[in-house]
Amino acid sequence: NDMLTKVDMMSMANSLEVRTPFLDYELVNYAFSLPSQYKIDRYAQKKIIKDAFRQLLPEEIFNRGKQGFEVPLLKWFRTELKSMIDELLNDDFILEQNIFNPGEIKKMKLQLFSNNPGEIAARIWGLIVFQHWWKKNIGN
């Protein structure tokens, strides 16, 4: 029950304006009052929304697949956030902490900067968040 708070905090932190139109109780009540065939059919997801905006939006929008919003961690780690990796995952800091296996951290960094990084950016992000917290709260 905290998604609205998270969305609000992250959108404000990144100067984004986010709207939550489906929280309007009058809109929800109206949608509940409509017969099922207006809302659901076997050929179209989100039928009521598509029907409502069909004349306002280009046809290609209605036929494309879902698109997620992904944070470009890999790109950031290779550019703007590379200094964080250099600072928080450097060999001396990892050895000094004595928490993580230095060899595994080194392998993860090599994979991150390889031609085939896979999903390593998400794991690196978890490490960076932990390391930042540790340095701020535990380390000197």
Side-chain angles (χ1 to χ4, degrees):
N1 290 332
D2 63 351
M3 285 307 296
L4 289 176
T5 302
K6 288 178 181 175
V7 168
D8 188 49
M9 288 172 51
M10 292 301 102
S11 63
M12 286 191 301
N14 291 285
S15 302
L16 294 172
E17 186 66 35
V18 177
R19 300 280 185 221
T20 51
F22 303 121
L23 292 180
D24 183 314
Y25 74 93
E26 291 172 338
L27 178 64
V28 172
N29 287 339
Y30 174 71
F32 282 145
S33 75
L34 293 172
S36 293
Q37 66 265 24
Y38 287 136
K39 299 180 268 189
I40 302 169
D41 80 22
R42 66 179 134 166
Y43 303 109
Q45 295 179 352
K46 303 179 185 175
K47 182 174 176 10
I48 192 170
I49 296 170
K50 289 180 178 183
D51 289 347
F53 294 98
R54 188 158 308 277
Q55 293 180 339
L56 299 171
L57 297 170
E59 187 62 31
E60 61 266 15
I61 288 177
F62 297 103
N63 297 321
R64 72 178 183 200
K66 287 185 176 184
Q67 293 181 315
F69 177 79
E70 292 191 27
V71 176
L73 284 176
L74 183 61
K75 178 184 171 216
W76 288 348
F77 284 149
R78 291 177 173 183
T79 57
E80 297 102 290
L81 297 182
K82 187 172 184 314
S83 62
M84 287 182 84
I85 292 171
D86 295 341
E87 176 192 348
L88 297 172
L89 297 181
N90 78 56
D91 295 342
D92 292 337
F93 187 47
I94 297 297
L95 286 169
E96 177 188 315
Q97 278 181 298
N98 198 27
I99 297 172
F100 300 109
N101 179 325
E104 288 302 313
I105 299 294
K106 196 173 282 195
K107 277 197 259 180
M108 290 173 72
K109 290 191 301 186
L110 285 171
Q111 185 179 348
L112 181 70
F113 295 104
S114 76
N115 289 330
N116 189 16
E119 299 295 321
I120 199 68
R123 292 182 62 205
I124 296 279
W125 177 249
L127 282 170
I128 293 293
V129 169
F130 174 81
Q131 293 293 80
H132 181 74
W133 173 87
W134 192 91
K135 195 169 191 174
K136 183 178 178 184
N137 295 288
I138 308 295
N140 301 342

